[in-house]
Amino acid sequence: MGSSNLPSLTYSSHTNFALASNESDLLCDRLHQQVKSDGNEDRTFEELKNIEHQRRAILLRAELPVWRILMFRTGTCLKEVSSNGLIWFSMIVYMSIRIYSRSIDDVPNFAYLMDAASVEVLGGFLSFFLVLFVNQTNGRFLEMYGCSKACSGRIQDIAGLARCQLPPVVADRLIRHMNAAQVAGYVGLNAIGQGSPYNKAHFFWHYNGQYKLLTFEEMLVLDRSHDMDHSSLCMKELITWCQQDVSMARKAGYIDSVQEQNMHDIILECRAVFYIHFLVLLSAIYLPLFAVDTAFKAGWGDTYIGVDLISGLVVFLQCTFVVGLRSLGTKMIDPYGDDLEDLSVINYVEGTLENCSGIMRSRKTDFDFNTKLQEAVLT
């Protein structure tokens, strides 16, 4: 096949992916145990899998009746709302003023100060920035979802082309590297600074052990150059390996230059300002002021108790609206975290691996179409 900068490896054809030698498997297992002892122990694969099951279950709730959806707590803003101190502080401020207002008959002089304050204007600005914040984070969330699905689709496209145009050993090698690049890409998300639950010890090594994505020699090449847990360069190098695989296949005469360019284009497609501080500050100022303003407008002296209840409900709903939207936008900032609302990375990875495995197992049927067509016409 020609020379390459990659280590020389021994492959054998397999229905899933090309398996390395038994000696390399033992060395891989030994290195895996070493990585587990030094790696990030925050999230084991079993914990990630449990989160993934909960995410898939939440997706099915959209088909349930409204009254059943309201009964759920997980995957909703109820936990954030019930434990948020700003909401309860605003409610305490409102109730304290209402209790004091019932103990006096005359309107105090300081109550007229709220007439000069434009709380509604502040609320309008807050609502504008909240909607803008959630819209931007939702747009980014959907964009990342599209990137993940596109990456999975491009890998399956390459699997189909490789299965039809390349020898089995070369095709297996290319698809192994493509799938390894996808998994390493999710692990490399730790490099962006927000942290990621997907680590080398519990995520990459799980799929590497199950599908034999990289051999021990290949892992040594990567480990000498990059730290997979804290850099995206590992994924980029694997993409370069895929391009080298395609170039070597063209030089060996398995594909022509047009097919090579098509594969290169598909492989390269796999490379894949928020206002949260301002919103926290603005909401911390606005919600208590809104509670004070609403409490003053409810009246003084022995007023009807229903006014207090309705006004208190308005304060609570306003607090829920502000904190709930802020929480929603904050969760969507990091689509690849460990929240139940985040993207189903394990589903994407396993779906890609299983589909590629099915593509590589496909066999051409011994069916002479022209002969059968002639027989059908004659009969």
Side-chain angles (χ1 to χ4, degrees), residues 146-161 175 178 182 262-263 265-271 352 356 359:
C147 289
S148 294
K149 297 299 289 184
C151 178
S152 175
R154 299 297 80 77
I155 294 174
Q156 295 175 56
D157 292 343
I158 285 292
L161 293 173
I175 301 308
M178 288 290 294
Q182 181 192 29
N262 184 33
M263 286 189 176
D265 292 340
I266 296 176
I267 290 172
L268 290 176
E269 289 180 7
C270 292
R271 293 177 302 184
T352 305
C356 288
I359 292 172

Side-chain angles (χ1 to χ4, degrees), residues 46-119:
E46 290 72 20
E47 291 174 333
L48 292 175
K49 197 70 176 178
N50 181 54
I51 294 175
E52 187 74 12
H53 287 316
Q54 295 183 62
R55 287 173 179 164
R56 307 311 295 178
I58 290 175
L59 290 177
L60 299 178
R61 295 179 186 174
E63 303 176 359
L64 298 177
V66 175
W67 66 270
R68 289 196 59 187
I69 294 177
L70 294 176
M71 300 298 292
F72 290 103
R73 176 181 172 84
T74 58
T76 68
C77 66
L78 292 180
K79 182 178 180 180
E80 177 72 18
V81 169
S82 61
S83 59
N84 188 276
L86 181 59
I87 293 180
W88 300 116
F89 174 74
S90 301
M91 293 302 300
I92 290 174
V93 169
Y94 170 80
M95 289 186 290
S96 300
I97 294 177
R98 293 312 303 157
I99 293 174
Y100 173 72
S101 68
R102 288 183 168 275
S103 64
I104 60 176
D105 295 328
D106 299 328
V107 180
N109 293 329
F110 63 82
Y112 296 104
L113 295 176
M114 291 305 299
D115 294 336
S118 300
V119 180

Side-chain angles (χ1 to χ4, degrees), residues 184-185 187-191 225-235:
V187 174
L189 290 172
N190 285 292
S225 305
H226 312 294
D227 181 3
M228 186 183 296
D229 275 318
H230 301 95
S231 174
S232 62
L233 294 177
C234 187
M235 179 269 293

Side-chain angles (χ1 to χ4, degrees), residues 25 39 81 108 126 130 138 172 247 258 324 354 366:
D25 288 345
V81 169
L126 178 60
L130 270 176
N138 181 64
D172 286 342
S247 297
V258 176
E354 292 173 3
D366 295 330

Side-chain angles (χ1 to χ4, degrees), residues 252-305:
Y254 298 131
I255 56 177
D256 57 30
S257 59
V258 176
Q259 293 169 321
E260 177 192 17
Q261 185 61 45
N262 184 33
M263 286 189 176
H264 278 311
D265 292 340
I266 296 176
I267 290 172
L268 290 176
E269 289 180 7
C270 292
R271 293 177 302 184
V273 181
F274 57 91
Y275 312 98
I276 183 61
H277 180 268
F278 177 71
L279 285 175
V280 170
L281 177 62
L282 193 60
S283 58
I285 297 174
Y286 167 72
L287 291 180
L289 279 178
F290 179 79
V292 172
D293 183 60
T294 305
F296 282 4
K297 290 180 179 179
W300 299 87
D302 190 15
T303 58
Y304 178 53
I305 189 64

Side-chain angles (χ1 to χ4, degrees), residues 1 4 6-21 24-25 28 151 154-156 158-160 162-163 166-185 204-205 207-222 228 234-235 237-243 245-246 248 267 270 349 352-357 359-360:
M1 283 228 349
S4 171
L6 299 181
S8 58
L9 304 172
T10 302
Y11 299 97
S12 60
S13 181
H14 190 271
T15 56
N16 261 335
F17 294 99
L19 295 178
S21 62
S24 292
D25 288 345
C28 278
C151 178
R154 299 297 80 77
I155 294 174
Q156 295 175 56
I158 285 292
R163 182 67 184 87
L166 299 176
V169 173
V170 181
D172 286 342
R173 174 189 174 95
L174 174 59
I175 301 308
R176 288 193 302 103
H177 290 167
M178 288 290 294
N179 280 291
Q182 181 192 29
V183 181
F204 182 87
W205 275 104
Y207 291 112
N208 191 64
Q210 183 176 356
Y211 291 94
K212 309 300 180 185
L213 302 178
L214 297 178
T215 63
F216 176 75
E217 290 86 352
E218 291 173 319
M219 284 302 306
L220 285 181
V221 173
L222 290 178
M228 186 183 296
C234 187
M235 179 269 293
E237 179 161 341
L238 285 168
I239 292 295
T240 304
W241 288 11
C242 296
Q243 293 181 280
D245 293 337
V246 173
M248 291 162 58
I267 290 172
C270 292
V349 170
T352 305
L353 290 168
E354 292 173 3
N355 290 337
C356 288
S357 178
I359 292 172
M360 301 307 291

